[in-house]
């Protein structure tokens, strides 16, 4: 089974940057689309970004376009989320999730989930 572990979260001031990592084990990452979701207090979990397996194309929520960049390094079994120009509204627990081949906008479409990493943007 594929196992996912997030890391890289923490406390950052508005305008700052963080890079989240999603490390995979158990199965090769090559065949999986990897998505980042986030859940803020009192909010529904929402999709942030995703990178496909086939073609390596990416997508982003409108709220993070131009600020966040998703990338994957299959040799290191890791997917990254570079977050720049962070805003207080980016505060959330960030989760990575995996499904075969293609990105999906629905949480139910993902078979594997990490435990999450907390990102707090505050002055």
């Amino acid at each position: 089974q594929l196992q996912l572990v997030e890391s890289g979260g923490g406390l950052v001031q508005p305008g700052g940057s963080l890079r989240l990592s999603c490390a995979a084990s158990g199965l090769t990452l090559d065949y999986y689309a990897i998505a980042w979701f986030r859940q803020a207090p009192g909010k529904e979990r929402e999709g942030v970004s995703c990178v496909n397996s086939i073609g390596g194309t990416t997508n982003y929520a409108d709220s993070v376009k131009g600020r966040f960049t998703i990338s994957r390094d299959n040799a290191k079994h890791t997917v990254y989320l570079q977050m720049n120009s962070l805003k207080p509204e980016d505060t959330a627990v960030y989760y990575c999730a995996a499904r075969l081949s293609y990105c999906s906008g629905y949480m139910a479409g993902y078979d594997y989930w990490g435990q999450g990493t907390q990102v707090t943007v505050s002055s």
Side-chain angles (χ1 to χ4, degrees):
Q1 300 297 312
L2 185 67
Q3 298 175 2
L4 304 174
V5 178
E6 302 95 337
S7 63
L11 176 64
V12 64
Q13 294 185 343
S17 298
L18 285 172
R19 188 179 73 162
L20 305 183
S21 298
C22 175
S25 62
L27 297 172
T28 180
L29 190 60
D30 299 24
Y31 310 124
Y32 292 88
I34 306 295
W36 288 95
F37 290 80
R38 67 185 182 186
Q39 188 164 22
K43 301 289 186 179
E44 296 291 324
R45 192 171 298 183
E46 63 176 348
V48 176
S49 184
C50 188
V51 57
N52 286 287
S53 174
I54 299 174
T57 55
T58 60
N59 52 43
Y60 300 90
D62 288 342
S63 60
V64 306
K65 284 181 179 177
R67 299 189 297 121
F68 291 10
T69 303
I70 191 170
S71 61
R72 66 190 299 154
D73 187 338
N74 288 343
K76 295 183 178 179
H77 312 288
T78 302
V79 172
Y80 304 97
L81 185 68
Q82 179 67 46
M83 305 186 296
N84 299 325
S85 302
L86 284 162
K87 304 174 181 179
E89 51 263 45
D90 295 317
T91 296
V93 177
Y94 283 71
Y95 301 88
C96 63
R99 68 189 304 273
L100 284 170
S101 296
Y102 305 109
C103 292
S104 171
Y106 300 94
M107 292 190 301
Y110 290 86
D111 302 302
Y112 306 99
W113 291 81
Q115 296 300 305
T117 185
Q118 176 71 50
V119 172
T120 302
V121 184
S122 177
S123 59

